[in-house]
């Protein structure tokens, strides 16, 4: 009797997940009852799981038809049983398109590894793979779909920051926060003193983005009347105003990157980029999804593939050019070519070569702001 009460509480409608996950959990429970020779029937299962008998009938049909369970009704015991040995697992029923979805879900989930949302998401994925907890040596499908070792850091997000921002996202609350002024690194170039930002911002939060081991808040900054990205771990003095805002129809970051696909980055107006790639980089460029309007031309006479596209992600594009080492040569716009040459000259000087650059960083930054 006590066990029945516990079961009722566990499977109360208000506690169960919605939709397909809820049905899978019920089917797992039904299978356990049958496999352990409890001889359940639709009435007893409906009472135990606090659902209608019609719902149980649908669950039984799915167990029998979709999972090919050898179910038979035993009139002597007044309940269902398996007429031959049967192991229930969703892995057996995964079709090719479902496996692809599972793979993408696993990759997506890996980026949340150290965030407060990870455990709940992992439990949902696990429910689509089998009906029990796994021991260390079990052959779990999720362990067979993995990301290669990477130097990218794992995302670490302060749980309180995550909680406050996600609550604001749910209710469209405006946030107040403090944030450091721009630094001089390659991804966040220095800004002239008269244009430097103040520490405190009023932000309408649009999205949380995870990119290259960093979690970002993407939103509209009321003081600047423009969108901006904030590294979650650099945010301080975060507070909710409890003032709501109207979320625009096109709030996702891809609507602000000028068509570029280079991650969580947006700066200045969109520009046209033209970059030549050589040798080992050519096949990679041909198969890549770099921008919405990308154009790929083969210049076999000069042994190169030329990629042309539009984007508003200048620093990410520069970093990508250097990731392609000597196989990438920027051709347009002039500001990208100038900064590329300036950085090469700086690296050559650090390596001990007597190289002098005629370019000044102030002139390059002016070219970037002016859209050249």
């Amino acid at each position: 009797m006590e066990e029945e009460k516990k079961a009722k509480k566990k499977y109360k409608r208000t506690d169960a997940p919605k939709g397909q996950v809820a049905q899978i959990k019920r089917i797992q429970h039904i299978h356990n009852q049958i496999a352990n020779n409890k001889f359940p029937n639709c009435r007893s299962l409906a009472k135990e799981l606090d659902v209608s008998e019609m719902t149980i009938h649908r669950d039984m049909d799915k167990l029998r038809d979709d999972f090919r369970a050898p179910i038979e009704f035993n009139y002597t015991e007044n309940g269902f049983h398996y007429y031959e040995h049967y192991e229930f697992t969703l892995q057996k029923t995964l079709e090719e398109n479902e496996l692809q979805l599972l793979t993408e879900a696993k990759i997506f989930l890996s980026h949340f590894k150290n965030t407060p949302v990870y455990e709940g998401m992992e439990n949902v994925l696990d429910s689509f793979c089998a009906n029990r907890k796994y021991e260390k040596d079990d052959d779990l499908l999720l362990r067979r779909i993995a990301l290669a070792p990477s130097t990218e850091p794992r995302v670490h997000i302060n749980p309180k920051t995550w909680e406050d921002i996600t609550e604001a996202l749910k209710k469209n609350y405006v946030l107040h926060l403090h944030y450091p002024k721009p630094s001089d690194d390659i991804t966040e170039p220095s800004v002239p003193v008269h244009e430097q930002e103040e520490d405190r911002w009023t932000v309408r939060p649009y999205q949380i983005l995870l990119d290259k081991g960093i979690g970002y808040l993407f939103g509209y900054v009321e003081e600047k009347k423009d969108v901006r990205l904030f590294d979650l771990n650099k945010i301080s003095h975060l507070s909710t105003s409890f003032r709501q805002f109207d979320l625009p129809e096109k709030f996702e970051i891809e609507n602000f990157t000028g068509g570029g696909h280079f991650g969580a980055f947006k700066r200045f107006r969109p520009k046209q980029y033209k970059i030549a790639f050589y040798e080992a980089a050519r096949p990679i460029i041909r198969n890549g999804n770099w921008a919405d309007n990308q154009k790929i031309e083969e210049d076999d006479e000069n042994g190169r593939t030329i990629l042309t596209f539009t984007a508003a992600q200048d620093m990410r594009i520069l970093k990508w050019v250097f990731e392609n080492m000597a196989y990438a040569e920027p051709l347009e716009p002039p500001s990208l070519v100038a900064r590329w040459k300036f950085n090469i000259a700086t690296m050559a000087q650090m390596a001990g070569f007597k190289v002098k650059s005629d370019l000044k960083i102030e002139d390059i930054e002016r070219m970037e702001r002016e859209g050249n």
Side-chain angles (χ1 to χ4, degrees):
M1 190 70 178
E2 188 64 30
E3 289 181 1
E4 186 176 338
K5 287 181 179 179
K6 288 181 180 178
K8 277 187 178 181
K9 185 176 181 181
K10 181 178 180 181
Y11 290 100
K12 205 71 173 172
R13 276 195 188 119
T14 53
D15 294 334
K18 294 181 179 179
Q20 188 179 18
V21 174
Q23 184 181 37
I24 293 301
K25 287 183 177 294
R26 290 196 307 270
I27 291 174
Q28 289 173 348
H29 179 76
I30 293 169
H31 161 73
N32 289 338
Q33 292 290 87
I34 298 174
N36 290 320
N37 296 318
K38 296 293 182 69
F39 295 96
N41 56 46
C42 290
R43 179 176 294 182
S44 65
L45 287 168
K47 184 178 180 181
E48 185 176 332
L49 298 175
D50 194 20
V51 295
S52 69
E53 289 188 40
M54 185 59 70
T55 296
I56 297 298
H57 279 293
R58 286 194 292 267
D59 294 342
M60 295 295 290
D61 288 341
K62 189 173 184 67
L63 181 59
R64 180 187 297 108
D65 300 335
D66 293 356
F67 298 101
R68 301 181 291 279
I71 301 173
E72 189 174 72
F73 193 82
N74 186 312
Y75 288 94
T76 303
E77 299 290 346
N78 190 33
F80 295 99
H81 76 114
Y82 292 142
Y83 56 81
E84 61 183 36
H85 180 74
Y86 173 74
E87 288 290 337
F88 172 76
T89 170
L90 293 182
Q91 294 183 30
K92 295 178 181 178
T93 64
L94 284 174
E95 298 176 357
E96 183 177 352
N97 63 326
E98 294 171 325
L99 183 59
Q100 177 65 27
L101 288 174
L102 183 60
T103 303
E104 293 175 359
K106 176 68 183 292
I107 293 172
F108 177 71
L109 177 60
S110 69
H111 295 291
F112 285 85
K113 184 71 176 180
N114 297 299
T115 70
V117 77
Y118 180 81
E119 185 176 352
M121 293 174 66
E122 184 181 43
N123 289 339
V124 171
L125 275 186
D126 275 348
S127 72
F128 282 93
C129 290
N131 66 327
R132 59 190 173 86
K133 292 291 183 180
Y134 296 96
E135 301 298 332
K136 183 177 180 181
D137 297 327
D138 279 340
D139 188 15
L140 173 61
L141 180 58
L142 281 181
R143 291 182 186 152
R144 305 296 293 275
I145 302 170
L147 297 179
S150 170
T151 57
E152 296 292 350
R154 293 287 187 183
V155 179
H156 289 273
I157 300 173
N158 182 296
K160 185 66 168 61
T161 300
W162 178 274
E163 180 182 339
D164 290 345
I165 292 178
T166 53
E167 184 67 16
L169 290 174
K170 291 175 186 176
K171 299 179 180 179
N172 286 342
Y173 282 152
V174 173
L175 293 169
H176 296 298
L177 58 88
H178 284 212
Y179 198 75
K181 294 178 181 179
S183 64
D184 292 323
D185 65 46
I186 190 171
T187 60
E188 202 172 337
S190 58
V191 175
V193 175
H194 68 280
E195 292 184 21
Q196 279 189 354
E197 304 164 340
E198 297 297 328
D199 285 334
R200 183 171 173 81
W201 298 109
T202 306
V203 181
R204 301 175 187 177
Y206 285 176
Q207 289 178 296
I208 289 178
L209 303 171
L210 301 175
D211 184 32
K212 297 185 181 298
I214 300 175
Y216 294 95
L217 168 64
F218 175 62
Y220 179 86
V221 181
E222 293 185 351
E223 289 85 352
K224 294 185 70 67
K225 295 181 172 56
D226 198 4
V227 293
R228 185 181 164 177
L229 286 150
F230 299 88
D231 182 335
L232 294 182
N233 288 328
K234 293 182 180 180
I235 292 174
S236 62
H237 301 89
L238 180 65
S239 62
T240 303
S241 69
F242 301 106
R243 172 168 61 88
Q244 291 187 303
F245 66 95
D246 293 326
L247 187 68
E249 182 179 349
K250 295 183 177 181
F251 64 88
E252 297 93 341
I253 191 172
E254 54 259 37
N255 296 299
F256 298 89
T257 61
H261 299 171
F262 295 88
F265 193 94
K266 180 264 179 189
R267 200 168 78 111
F268 303 135
R269 295 185 301 275
K271 307 171 190 173
Q272 178 171 290
Y273 292 84
K274 181 179 285 190
I275 306 170
F277 295 88
Y278 300 83
E279 298 181 33
R282 295 183 70 182
I284 298 173
I285 296 306
R286 294 186 192 113
N287 296 317
N289 181 25
W290 312 109
D292 291 343
N293 66 343
Q294 68 182 35
K295 180 182 178 183
I296 297 175
E297 303 172 84
E298 300 297 342
D299 181 9
D300 293 328
E301 184 177 346
N302 294 298
R304 62 185 186 172
T305 298
I306 299 176
L307 174 66
T308 305
F309 61 94
T310 302
Q313 298 177 288
D314 54 358
M315 285 298 154
R316 281 292 178 87
I317 294 169
L318 176 66
K319 184 177 180 181
W320 176 59
V321 166
F322 277 106
E323 287 172 355
N324 282 279
M325 301 176 290
Y327 299 134
E329 177 191 8
L331 304 177
E332 295 178 8
S335 57
L336 176 66
V337 177
R339 189 177 275 275
W340 175 67
K341 290 181 177 180
F342 178 86
N343 286 1
I344 289 176
T346 302
M347 288 188 288
Q349 293 167 9
M350 293 172 66
F353 293 98
K354 294 182 179 180
V355 177
K356 184 178 180 181
S357 174
D358 296 329
L359 300 165
K360 294 182 179 180
I361 192 63
E362 295 84 2
D363 294 332
I364 296 173
E365 290 176 343
R366 176 182 50 78
M367 292 170 64
E368 290 169 341
R369 289 194 300 276
E370 293 175 354
N372 298 323

Coordinates of all heavy atoms in Angstrom, one line a residue, residues 26-84:
R26 N 6.1 6.7 -19.1 CA 5.0 5.8 -18.8 C 5.3 4.4 -19.4 O 5.1 3.4 -18.7 CB 3.6 6.3 -19.3 CG 3.1 7.5 -18.6 CD 1.6 7.7 -18.9 NE 1.3 7.8 -20.3 CZ 1.4 8.9 -21.0 NH1 1.7 10.1 -20.5 NH2 1.0 8.9 -22.3
I27 N 5.7 4.4 -20.6 CA 6.0 3.1 -21.3 C 7.1 2.3 -20.6 O 7.1 1.1 -20.4 CB 6.3 3.3 -22.8 CG1 5.0 3.8 -23.5 CG2 6.9 2.0 -23.4 CD1 5.3 4.1 -25.0
Q28 N 8.1 3.1 -20.1 CA 9.2 2.5 -19.4 C 8.7 1.8 -18.1 O 9.0 0.7 -17.8 CB 10.3 3.5 -19.0 CG 11.1 4.0 -20.2 CD 12.0 5.1 -19.9 OE1 11.9 5.7 -18.8 NE2 12.9 5.5 -20.8
H29 N 7.8 2.5 -17.4 CA 7.2 2.0 -16.2 C 6.3 0.7 -16.5 O 6.4 -0.3 -15.8 CB 6.3 3.0 -15.5 CG 5.7 2.6 -14.3 ND1 6.4 2.4 -13.1 CD2 4.4 2.2 -14.0 CE1 5.5 1.9 -12.1 NE2 4.3 1.8 -12.7
I30 N 5.5 0.8 -17.6 CA 4.7 -0.3 -17.9 C 5.6 -1.5 -18.3 O 5.3 -2.7 -17.8 CB 3.8 0.0 -19.2 CG1 2.8 1.1 -18.8 CG2 3.1 -1.2 -19.7 CD1 2.0 1.7 -20.0
H31 N 6.6 -1.3 -19.0 CA 7.6 -2.4 -19.3 C 8.1 -3.0 -18.0 O 8.2 -4.3 -17.9 CB 8.7 -1.9 -20.2 CG 9.9 -2.8 -20.2 ND1 9.9 -4.0 -20.8 CD2 11.1 -2.7 -19.6 CE1 11.1 -4.6 -20.6 NE2 11.8 -3.8 -19.9
N32 N 8.5 -2.2 -17.1 CA 9.1 -2.7 -15.8 C 8.1 -3.6 -15.1 O 8.5 -4.7 -14.6 CB 9.6 -1.6 -15.0 CG 10.8 -0.9 -15.5 OD1 11.6 -1.5 -16.3 ND2 11.0 0.4 -15.1
Q33 N 6.9 -3.2 -15.1 CA 5.8 -3.9 -14.4 C 5.6 -5.3 -15.1 O 5.5 -6.3 -14.4 CB 4.5 -3.2 -14.4 CG 4.5 -1.9 -13.6 CD 4.5 -2.2 -12.1 OE1 5.6 -2.4 -11.5 NE2 3.4 -2.4 -11.5
I34 N 5.6 -5.3 -16.4 CA 5.4 -6.5 -17.2 C 6.6 -7.4 -17.0 O 6.5 -8.7 -16.8 CB 5.1 -6.3 -18.6 CG1 3.8 -5.5 -18.8 CG2 5.0 -7.6 -19.4 CD1 3.5 -5.0 -20.2
A35 N 7.8 -6.9 -17.2 CA 9.0 -7.7 -17.1 C 9.3 -8.3 -15.8 O 9.9 -9.4 -15.7 CB 10.2 -6.8 -17.5
N36 N 8.7 -7.7 -14.7 CA 8.9 -8.2 -13.4 C 7.7 -9.1 -12.9 O 7.5 -9.3 -11.7 CB 9.1 -7.0 -12.4 CG 10.4 -6.3 -12.6 OD1 11.4 -7.0 -12.8 ND2 10.4 -5.0 -12.5
N37 N 6.9 -9.5 -14.0 CA 5.8 -10.4 -13.7 C 4.8 -9.9 -12.7 O 4.3 -10.6 -11.9 CB 6.3 -11.8 -13.3 CG 7.2 -12.5 -14.3 OD1 6.8 -12.4 -15.5 ND2 8.3 -13.1 -13.9
K38 N 4.5 -8.6 -12.8 CA 3.5 -8.0 -11.9 C 2.1 -8.1 -12.6 O 1.1 -7.8 -11.9 CB 3.8 -6.5 -11.7 CG 5.1 -6.2 -11.0 CD 5.0 -6.7 -9.5 CE 6.3 -6.4 -8.8 NZ 6.5 -5.0 -8.5
F39 N 2.0 -8.5 -13.8 CA 0.8 -8.7 -14.6 C -0.2 -7.5 -14.4 O -1.3 -7.6 -14.0 CB 0.0 -10.0 -14.1 CG 0.8 -11.2 -14.4 CD1 1.6 -11.8 -13.4 CD2 0.7 -11.8 -15.7 CE1 2.3 -13.0 -13.7 CE2 1.4 -13.0 -16.0 CZ 2.2 -13.6 -15.0
P40 N 0.3 -6.3 -14.9 CA -0.6 -5.1 -14.8 C -1.7 -5.2 -15.8 O -1.5 -5.8 -16.9 CB 0.4 -4.0 -15.0 CG 1.4 -4.6 -16.0 CD 1.6 -6.0 -15.5
N41 N -2.8 -4.5 -15.6 CA -3.8 -4.3 -16.6 C -4.0 -2.8 -16.8 O -3.5 -2.0 -16.0 CB -5.1 -5.1 -16.3 CG -5.6 -4.7 -14.9 OD1 -5.7 -3.5 -14.6 ND2 -6.0 -5.7 -14.1
C42 N -4.9 -2.5 -17.8 CA -5.1 -1.0 -18.1 C -5.6 -0.3 -16.9 O -5.3 0.9 -16.6 CB -5.9 -0.9 -19.3 SG -5.1 -1.4 -20.8
R43 N -6.6 -0.9 -16.2 CA -7.2 -0.2 -15.1 C -6.2 0.1 -14.0 O -6.1 1.2 -13.4 CB -8.4 -1.0 -14.5 CG -9.1 -0.4 -13.3 CD -10.3 -1.2 -12.9 NE -11.3 -1.2 -13.9 CZ -12.5 -1.8 -13.7 NH1 -12.8 -2.4 -12.6 NH2 -13.4 -1.7 -14.7
S44 N -5.4 -0.9 -13.6 CA -4.4 -0.8 -12.5 C -3.3 0.3 -12.9 O -2.9 1.1 -12.1 CB -3.8 -2.1 -12.1 OG -3.0 -2.6 -13.2
L45 N -2.9 0.2 -14.2 CA -1.9 1.1 -14.6 C -2.4 2.6 -14.7 O -1.7 3.5 -14.3 CB -1.4 0.7 -16.0 CG -0.5 -0.5 -16.0 CD1 -0.3 -1.0 -17.5 CD2 0.9 -0.3 -15.4
A46 N -3.6 2.7 -15.1 CA -4.2 4.1 -15.1 C -4.3 4.7 -13.8 O -4.0 5.9 -13.6 CB -5.6 4.0 -15.8
K47 N -4.7 3.9 -12.8 CA -4.8 4.3 -11.4 C -3.4 4.7 -10.8 O -3.2 5.7 -10.2 CB -5.5 3.3 -10.6 CG -5.7 3.7 -9.1 CD -6.4 2.6 -8.4 CE -6.7 3.0 -6.9 NZ -7.4 1.9 -6.1
E48 N -2.5 3.8 -11.1 CA -1.1 4.0 -10.6 C -0.4 5.2 -11.2 O 0.3 6.0 -10.5 CB -0.3 2.8 -10.9 CG 1.1 2.8 -10.3 CD 1.8 1.5 -10.5 OE1 1.2 0.4 -10.6 OE2 3.1 1.5 -10.6
L49 N -0.6 5.5 -12.5 CA 0.0 6.6 -13.2 C -0.8 7.8 -13.2 O -0.4 8.8 -13.8 CB 0.4 6.1 -14.6 CG 1.4 5.0 -14.7 CD1 1.6 4.5 -16.1 CD2 2.7 5.3 -14.0
D50 N -2.0 7.7 -12.7 CA -2.9 8.9 -12.6 C -3.2 9.5 -14.0 O -3.1 10.7 -14.3 CB -2.3 10.0 -11.7 CG -3.4 11.0 -11.3 OD1 -4.6 10.7 -11.4 OD2 -3.0 12.2 -11.0
V51 N -3.6 8.5 -14.9 CA -4.0 8.9 -16.3 C -5.2 8.1 -16.6 O -5.6 7.2 -15.9 CB -2.9 8.7 -17.3 CG1 -1.7 9.5 -17.1 CG2 -2.5 7.2 -17.3
S52 N -5.8 8.4 -17.8 CA -7.0 7.7 -18.2 C -6.7 6.3 -18.7 O -5.5 6.1 -19.2 CB -7.8 8.5 -19.2 OG -7.0 8.5 -20.4
E53 N -7.6 5.4 -18.7 CA -7.4 4.1 -19.3 C -7.2 4.2 -20.8 O -6.4 3.4 -21.4 CB -8.6 3.2 -19.0 CG -8.7 2.7 -17.6 CD -9.8 1.7 -17.3 OE1 -9.9 0.8 -18.2 OE2 -10.5 1.8 -16.3
M54 N -7.8 5.1 -21.5 CA -7.5 5.3 -22.9 C -6.1 5.7 -23.2 O -5.5 5.2 -24.1 CB -8.4 6.5 -23.4 CG -8.3 6.7 -24.9 SD -8.8 5.2 -25.9 CE -10.6 5.2 -25.5
T55 N -5.5 6.5 -22.3 CA -4.1 6.8 -22.4 C -3.2 5.6 -22.3 O -2.3 5.4 -23.0 CB -3.6 7.9 -21.3 OG1 -4.3 9.1 -21.5 CG2 -2.1 8.1 -21.4
I56 N -3.5 4.7 -21.3 CA -2.8 3.4 -21.2 C -3.0 2.6 -22.4 O -2.0 1.9 -22.9 CB -3.3 2.7 -19.9 CG1 -3.0 3.5 -18.7 CG2 -2.6 1.3 -19.8 CD1 -1.5 3.8 -18.4
H57 N -4.2 2.5 -23.0 CA -4.4 1.7 -24.2 C -3.4 2.2 -25.3 O -2.8 1.4 -26.0 CB -5.8 1.8 -24.6 CG -6.7 0.9 -23.9 ND1 -6.7 -0.5 -24.1 CD2 -7.8 1.1 -23.0 CE1 -7.6 -1.0 -23.3 NE2 -8.3 -0.1 -22.7
R58 N -3.3 3.6 -25.4 CA -2.4 4.1 -26.5 C -1.0 3.8 -26.2 O -0.2 3.4 -27.1 CB -2.6 5.6 -26.6 CG -3.9 6.1 -27.2 CD -3.8 7.6 -27.6 NE -3.9 8.4 -26.4 CZ -4.9 8.9 -25.9 NH1 -6.1 8.6 -26.4 NH2 -4.9 9.7 -24.8
D59 N -0.6 3.8 -24.9 CA 0.8 3.4 -24.5 C 1.1 2.0 -24.8 O 2.1 1.6 -25.3 CB 1.0 3.7 -23.0 CG 1.0 5.2 -22.7 OD1 1.1 6.0 -23.6 OD2 0.8 5.5 -21.5
M60 N 0.1 1.1 -24.6 CA 0.3 -0.3 -24.8 C 0.4 -0.5 -26.3 O 1.2 -1.4 -26.8 CB -0.9 -1.1 -24.3 CG -1.1 -1.0 -22.8 SD 0.3 -1.8 -21.9 CE 0.0 -3.5 -22.3
D61 N -0.4 0.2 -27.1 CA -0.3 0.0 -28.6 C 1.1 0.4 -29.1 O 1.6 -0.2 -30.0 CB -1.4 0.9 -29.3 CG -2.8 0.3 -29.1 OD1 -2.9 -0.9 -28.8 OD2 -3.8 1.1 -29.3
K62 N 1.6 1.5 -28.5 CA 2.9 2.0 -28.9 C 4.0 1.0 -28.5 O 4.9 0.7 -29.3 CB 3.2 3.3 -28.3 CG 4.5 4.0 -28.9 CD 4.7 5.4 -28.4 CE 5.9 6.1 -29.0 NZ 5.7 6.3 -30.4
L63 N 3.9 0.4 -27.3 CA 4.8 -0.6 -26.8 C 4.8 -1.8 -27.7 O 5.9 -2.4 -28.1 CB 4.5 -0.9 -25.4 CG 5.5 -2.0 -24.7 CD1 6.9 -1.5 -24.7 CD2 5.0 -2.2 -23.3
R64 N 3.6 -2.2 -28.1 CA 3.5 -3.4 -29.0 C 3.9 -3.1 -30.4 O 4.6 -3.9 -31.0 CB 2.0 -3.9 -28.9 CG 1.8 -5.1 -29.8 CD 0.3 -5.4 -29.9 NE -0.3 -5.8 -28.6 CZ -1.1 -5.0 -27.9 NH1 -1.4 -3.8 -28.4 NH2 -1.6 -5.4 -26.7
D65 N 3.4 -2.0 -31.0 CA 3.6 -1.8 -32.4 C 5.0 -1.1 -32.7 O 5.7 -1.5 -33.6 CB 2.5 -0.9 -33.0 CG 1.1 -1.5 -32.8 OD1 1.1 -2.8 -32.7 OD2 0.1 -0.8 -32.7
D66 N 5.3 0.0 -32.0 CA 6.5 0.7 -32.3 C 7.8 0.1 -31.8 O 8.8 0.1 -32.4 CB 6.4 2.2 -31.8 CG 5.3 3.0 -32.6 OD1 4.8 2.4 -33.5 OD2 5.1 4.1 -32.2
F67 N 7.6 -0.5 -30.6 CA 8.8 -1.1 -29.9 C 8.8 -2.7 -30.0 O 9.6 -3.3 -29.5 CB 8.8 -0.7 -28.4 CG 9.0 0.8 -28.2 CD1 7.9 1.5 -27.9 CD2 10.2 1.4 -28.4 CE1 8.0 2.9 -27.8 CE2 10.3 2.7 -28.3 CZ 9.2 3.5 -28.0
R68 N 7.8 -3.2 -30.8 CA 7.8 -4.6 -31.1 C 7.8 -5.5 -29.9 O 8.5 -6.5 -29.8 CB 8.9 -5.0 -32.1 CG 8.7 -4.2 -33.4 CD 9.8 -4.6 -34.4 NE 11.1 -4.1 -34.0 CZ 11.6 -2.9 -34.2 NH1 10.8 -2.0 -34.7 NH2 12.8 -2.6 -33.8
A69 N 7.1 -5.1 -28.8 CA 7.1 -5.9 -27.6 C 6.2 -7.1 -27.7 O 5.0 -6.9 -28.2 CB 6.7 -5.0 -26.4
P70 N 6.6 -8.3 -27.3 CA 5.7 -9.5 -27.4 C 4.7 -9.5 -26.3 O 4.8 -10.4 -25.4 CB 6.8 -10.6 -27.3 CG 7.9 -10.1 -26.5 CD 7.9 -8.6 -26.8
I71 N 3.7 -8.6 -26.3 CA 2.7 -8.5 -25.2 C 1.6 -9.5 -25.5 O 1.1 -9.6 -26.6 CB 2.2 -7.1 -25.1 CG1 3.4 -6.1 -24.9 CG2 1.2 -7.0 -24.0 CD1 2.9 -4.6 -24.9
E72 N 1.1 -10.1 -24.4 CA 0.0 -11.0 -24.4 C -0.8 -10.8 -23.1 O -0.2 -10.6 -22.1 CB 0.4 -12.4 -24.6 CG -0.7 -13.4 -24.9 CD -0.1 -14.8 -25.2 OE1 0.4 -15.4 -24.2 OE2 -0.1 -15.2 -26.3
F73 N -2.1 -10.9 -23.2 CA -2.9 -10.8 -22.0 C -3.2 -12.1 -21.4 O -3.6 -13.1 -22.1 CB -4.3 -10.1 -22.3 CG -5.0 -9.7 -21.1 CD1 -4.8 -8.5 -20.4 CD2 -6.0 -10.5 -20.5 CE1 -5.4 -8.1 -19.3 CE2 -6.7 -10.1 -19.3 CZ -6.4 -8.9 -18.8
N74 N -2.9 -12.3 -20.1 CA -3.0 -13.5 -19.4 C -4.3 -13.4 -18.6 O -4.4 -12.7 -17.6 CB -1.8 -13.7 -18.4 CG -1.9 -15.1 -17.7 OD1 -2.9 -15.5 -17.2 ND2 -0.7 -15.8 -17.7
Y75 N -5.3 -14.2 -19.0 CA -6.7 -14.1 -18.4 C -6.7 -14.7 -17.0 O -7.4 -14.3 -16.1 CB -7.7 -14.8 -19.3 CG -8.0 -13.9 -20.5 CD1 -7.3 -14.2 -21.7 CD2 -8.9 -12.9 -20.5 CE1 -7.6 -13.4 -22.8 CE2 -9.2 -12.1 -21.6 CZ -8.5 -12.4 -22.8 OH -8.7 -11.6 -23.9
T76 N -5.8 -15.7 -16.8 CA -5.7 -16.3 -15.4 C -5.2 -15.3 -14.4 O -5.8 -15.2 -13.3 CB -4.8 -17.5 -15.4 OG1 -5.2 -18.4 -16.4 CG2 -4.7 -18.2 -14.1
E77 N -4.2 -14.5 -14.8 CA -3.6 -13.5 -13.9 C -4.3 -12.1 -14.0 O -4.0 -11.2 -13.3 CB -2.1 -13.3 -14.1 CG -1.3 -14.6 -13.9 CD -1.2 -14.9 -12.4 OE1 -1.5 -14.1 -11.6 OE2 -0.8 -16.1 -12.1
N78 N -5.2 -12.0 -15.0 CA -5.9 -10.7 -15.3 C -4.9 -9.6 -15.5 O -5.0 -8.5 -15.0 CB -6.8 -10.4 -14.2 CG -7.8 -9.2 -14.5 OD1 -8.1 -9.1 -15.7 ND2 -8.1 -8.4 -13.6
G79 N -3.9 -9.8 -16.4 CA -2.9 -8.8 -16.6 C -2.0 -9.2 -17.8 O -2.1 -10.3 -18.3
F80 N -1.2 -8.2 -18.3 CA -0.3 -8.4 -19.4 C 1.0 -9.1 -19.0 O 1.5 -8.9 -17.9 CB 0.0 -7.1 -20.1 CG -1.2 -6.4 -20.7 CD1 -1.9 -5.4 -20.0 CD2 -1.6 -6.8 -21.9 CE1 -3.0 -4.8 -20.6 CE2 -2.8 -6.2 -22.5 CZ -3.4 -5.2 -21.8
H81 N 1.6 -9.9 -19.9 CA 2.9 -10.4 -19.7 C 3.6 -10.6 -21.1 O 2.9 -10.4 -22.1 CB 2.7 -11.8 -19.1 CG 2.3 -12.9 -20.0 ND1 3.1 -14.0 -20.4 CD2 1.1 -13.1 -20.7 CE1 2.4 -14.7 -21.2 NE2 1.2 -14.2 -21.4
Y82 N 4.9 -10.8 -21.1 CA 5.6 -11.1 -22.3 C 5.7 -12.6 -22.5 O 6.0 -13.4 -21.6 CB 7.0 -10.6 -22.2 CG 7.1 -9.0 -22.1 CD1 8.1 -8.4 -21.3 CD2 6.3 -8.2 -22.9 CE1 8.2 -7.0 -21.3 CE2 6.4 -6.9 -22.9 CZ 7.3 -6.2 -22.1 OH 7.4 -4.9 -22.0
Y83 N 5.3 -13.0 -23.8 CA 5.3 -14.4 -24.0 C 6.7 -14.9 -24.5 O 6.9 -16.1 -24.7 CB 4.2 -14.8 -25.1 CG 4.3 -14.1 -26.4 CD1 5.3 -14.5 -27.4 CD2 3.5 -13.0 -26.7 CE1 5.4 -13.8 -28.6 CE2 3.6 -12.4 -27.9 CZ 4.5 -12.8 -28.9 OH 4.6 -12.1 -30.1
E84 N 7.6 -14.0 -24.6 CA 9.0 -14.4 -24.8 C 9.9 -13.3 -24.2 O 9.4 -12.2 -23.9 CB 9.3 -14.6 -26.2 CG 9.1 -13.4 -27.1 CD 9.4 -13.7 -28.6 OE1 9.0 -14.8 -29.1 OE2 9.9 -12.8 -29.3

